[in-house]
Amino acid sequence: MPSIKVYNQLGAEVATKELDETVFGVEYNEALIHQVVVAQLNNARQGTKSALTRTEVRGGGIKPWRQKGTGRARQGSIRAPQWTGGGMVFAPKPRDFSQKVNKMAKITALVSALSAKVADEDMIVVDKFELTAPKTKEVATALKNLKVETRVLLVVTDVDADVVIAAKNIPNVKVINSDLINVYDIVANDKMVATSAAIERIEEVYKA
């Protein structure tokens, strides 16, 4: 069973926490993680962009000048793609980019990504985040004490609402509720900092 050190906001080690091996000790599955991340990004795309082809642009039904004898290049319509205001070649049209991924694949990819964070020592667990007020400086100081200087995913629970407010102005820091954790956010950030309560909530939801 994997274990991890638990720190306080001052960066001092205060305990060791045993982790559920079905959530934080599974084999790394890069192919599945890639599949789920691609699907997640595609599902976030709106797919609403649209432009007109030459057949959809209004006007241009008459030939602008005769075929020969003018000295100019032959033209058939002022709505051809080479004309300003003309139609677009291979114009983008609204489409659905969504991809379906079954629930078990999502869960497997998620626990695989979490396990990789633990194995690579890129996960830091803190006993709690207590702020005297929702101030950015307090969260920044705590992260500095934990020696986190890269892109970080800060995972908290509902009771840590002040942390969400306080951390939103810190560059390279994304705060997320443990119930909303996802594969993309885990792999897109170099480090993951989570409260003990958030870890327990993740284990409660995803343990086999």
Side-chain angles (χ1 to χ4, degrees):
M1 182 176 291
S3 62
I4 194 168
K5 296 177 181 177
V6 180
Y7 299 88
N8 60 21
Q9 289 176 234
L10 299 177
E13 182 181 341
V14 294
T16 300
K17 188 177 185 65
E18 296 292 329
L19 301 174
D20 192 308
E21 62 182 2
T22 63
V23 179
F24 295 100
V26 304
E27 185 179 351
Y28 182 60
N29 191 331
E30 183 177 2
L32 185 58
I33 289 175
H34 179 268
Q35 178 186 345
V36 172
V37 168
V38 169
Q40 186 177 338
L41 292 176
N42 280 337
N43 292 339
R45 298 181 67 175
Q46 288 184 316
T48 55
K49 62 182 180 179
S50 181
L52 301 179
T53 64
R54 64 181 294 169
T55 61
E56 297 169 320
V57 178
R58 187 173 181 180
I62 189 173
K63 190 174 176 66
W65 52 75
R66 61 195 176 96
Q67 181 83 344
K68 295 179 178 294
T70 64
R72 291 178 288 185
R74 53 193 175 187
Q75 301 290 336
S77 171
I78 61 171
R79 293 299 175 242
Q82 71 270 20
W83 285 74
T84 301
M88 184 176 181
V89 180
F90 306 124
K93 293 297 179 183
R95 56 175 291 194
D96 182 12
F97 289 97
S98 64
Q99 295 181 9
K100 290 187 67 176
V101 179
N102 67 59
K103 183 178 179 181
M104 201 62 228
K106 289 180 181 178
I107 294 175
T108 304
L110 180 68
V111 298
S112 178
L114 288 171
S115 299
K117 286 295 185 193
V118 174
D120 296 338
E121 298 183 351
D122 287 330
M123 181 183 292
I124 300 172
V125 179
V126 292
D127 54 355
K128 54 190 173 183
F129 255 105
E130 287 186 344
L131 306 180
T132 58
K135 293 184 177 180
T136 301
K137 184 177 180 180
E138 293 193 23
V139 176
T141 300
L143 292 176
K144 184 177 180 181
N145 292 337
L146 295 169
K147 299 179 181 179
V148 178
E149 300 176 352
T150 56
R151 290 173 58 90
V152 59
L153 179 66
L154 184 55
V155 186
V156 296
T157 57
D158 290 329
V159 297
D160 302 308
D162 284 349
V163 179
V164 178
I165 299 172
K168 65 182 180 181
N169 289 328
I170 305 178
N172 297 326
V173 174
K174 178 169 184 178
V175 185
I176 192 169
N177 189 292
S178 56
D179 290 333
L180 301 176
I181 195 168
N182 58 83
V183 180
Y184 173 75
D185 284 330
I186 295 172
V187 301
N189 291 279
D190 302 316
K191 297 285 185 179
M192 176 176 164
V193 176
T195 62
S196 287
I199 293 295
E200 291 168 5
R201 176 60 180 164
I202 292 171
E203 289 181 335
E204 178 185 342
V205 173
Y206 295 106
K207 68 180 178 181

